[in-house]
């Protein structure tokens, strides 16, 4: 596995963000519009053809991305990550903040993330929490750590809409880092998680 | 919470599938093309404008969907579900098969689902397994069941590419159904899961 990074300046990061974030946001709105569209079959077919034409434009040049490291923060920029990547339209727009061993994100989940009527899919809660606990355990992804185990307790349904998630390191035992976290709506936590994240053997020396 | 269903015939289901599945697949390919495009900034801007125009076409008529029940199988058709919905481009194309209390799916996860280099994001594995254990516990979503707890054990990284996931009911104790499952590649299981799924109080009478 290759963990080579390319260090980029904040200026270059901001340039890429300004270029790609509006594209990702446009794709995201298209996902949401497709989900419940009720237009007639001819319009559906025309939409599909137009989407295929745009896909061909974007496929004309594809780059295998080298993992990027932000020069100022020392943190990897996981641009294509399915939980937080600003180039991945699957990811809810979730920007993780870090402070003093804790990390958190405020974000909104709409109908594309729905499981039971009006509620977030339990597996989407698991995706959000696995990612956030992993960020906490790895000090913002600056240390290679892999999920060993994760357990989630669903106290009640998580309503679609504005949410907050938090995670922090509970304790460290050798190569194992124990992290905890939760998702909450305005009335408090809905899902709680604890996970064990493991430093791979190749990263333990020194 | 409203669990009213509209029963549809197989013919109507096949009509909707033929209409919407190619649209979803086109949106999915657009997500993948956006992820790693290296086209120049003017082309990115033009792509974004064209995507916004298609979104407007599809937004012209939006329908709040009534949950559908397939007349022949008696199973809900969760068309917009983020794990399996055939109208949701976030979902990997994952078609769940049911037989005698077990369910399984064969599917392929590409770079849009990547966490560590070359490997599936741990949270995406959690999304897949939460969904599949829930399907097993609820007899293919025919009984209302909510995730109570789920625990995942990551034995090794799950490589991007073709995968298989399975789930089954381990035992039932009153309102609690205990389900187990795993994700596997060609070399065997990578992630194992167990979960407790709870029948809500309002569904217990009778």
């Amino acid at each position: 596995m290759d963990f080579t990074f390319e260090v980029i300046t904040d200026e270059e990061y901001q340039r890429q963000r300004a270029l790609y974030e509006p594209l990702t946001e446009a794709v995201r709105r298209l996902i949401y519009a497709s989900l419940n569209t009720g237009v007639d079959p001819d319009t559906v077919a025309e939409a599909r053809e137009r989407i295929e034409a745009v896909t061909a434009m974007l496929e004309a040049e594809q780059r295998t991305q080298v993992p990027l490291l932000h020069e100022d923060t020392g943190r990897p920029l996981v641009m294509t990550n399915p939980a937080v990547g600003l180039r991945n339209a699957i990811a809810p727009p979730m920007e993780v903040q870090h402070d003093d061993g804790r990390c958190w994100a405020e974000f909104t989940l709409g109908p594309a993330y729905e499981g039971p009527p009006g509620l977030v899919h339990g597996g989407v809660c698991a995706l959000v929490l696995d990612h956030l606990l992993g960020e906490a355990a790895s000090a913002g992804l600056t240390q290679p750590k892999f999920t060993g185990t994760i357990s989630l307790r669903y106290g009640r349904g998580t309503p679609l809409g504005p949410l907050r998630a938090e995670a922090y390191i509970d304790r460290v035992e050798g190569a194992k880092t124990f992290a905890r976290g939760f998702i909450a709506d305005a009335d408090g936590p809905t899902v709680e998680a604890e996970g064990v994240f493991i430093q791979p053997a190749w990263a333990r020396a020194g």
Side-chain angles (χ1 to χ4, degrees), chain A:
Chain A
M1 195 172 306
D2 188 4
F3 274 93
T4 309
F5 290 102
E6 181 186 320
V7 177
I8 65 169
T9 61
D10 187 62
E11 188 184 352
E12 171 59 15
Y13 171 62
Q14 296 302 342
R15 186 195 69 80
Q16 291 195 23
R17 183 167 185 156
L19 179 61
Y20 295 119
E21 204 163 48
L23 176 67
T24 309
E25 190 53 32
V27 176
R28 205 172 266 139
R29 287 199 305 270
L30 179 65
I31 296 170
Y32 304 166
S34 310
L35 200 66
N36 288 309
T37 191
V39 297
D40 65 83
D42 286 348
T43 308
V44 171
E46 193 192 329
R48 180 174 54 75
E49 280 171 27
R50 290 195 189 194
I51 293 165
E52 286 167 353
V54 180
T55 299
M57 282 171 64
L58 295 173
E59 281 176 342
E61 193 181 335
Q62 290 276 305
R63 291 189 189 154
T64 303
Q65 294 185 39
V66 177
L68 302 175
L69 200 71
H70 191 285
E71 188 182 47
D72 299 349
T73 65
R75 289 208 184 95
L77 297 162
V78 285
M79 306 284 252
T80 62
N81 186 285
V84 294
L86 67 85
R87 296 195 57 177
N88 194 333
I90 287 174
M94 186 164 92
E95 194 161 350
V96 181
Q97 310 291 324
H98 289 267
D99 185 33
D100 198 23
R102 291 187 83 87
C103 62
W104 68 93
E106 289 179 353
F107 54 97
T108 296
L109 295 179
Y113 300 96
E114 186 179 57
L119 302 176
V120 179
H121 191 293
V124 172
C125 296
L127 165 62
V128 166
L129 283 167
D130 172 84
H131 187 83
L132 214 61
L133 268 64
E135 286 236 9
S138 64
L141 309 179
T142 60
Q143 303 160 9
K145 293 271 172 75
F146 291 84
T147 316
T149 60
I150 187 166
S151 296
L152 301 120
R153 176 173 300 273
Y154 296 78
R156 60 186 168 92
T158 302
L160 296 179
L163 297 167
R164 179 183 171 92
E166 278 191 46
Y168 61 93
I169 293 177
D170 190 49
R171 64 191 191 280
V172 179
E173 293 176 8
K176 293 183 178 176
T177 300
F178 295 77
R180 290 179 172 269
F182 62 85
I183 297 177
D185 68 0
D187 296 328
T190 58
V191 188
E192 293 175 300
E194 54 181 299
V196 182
F197 293 81
I198 318 242
Q199 192 178 27
W202 55 260
R204 282 178 214 169

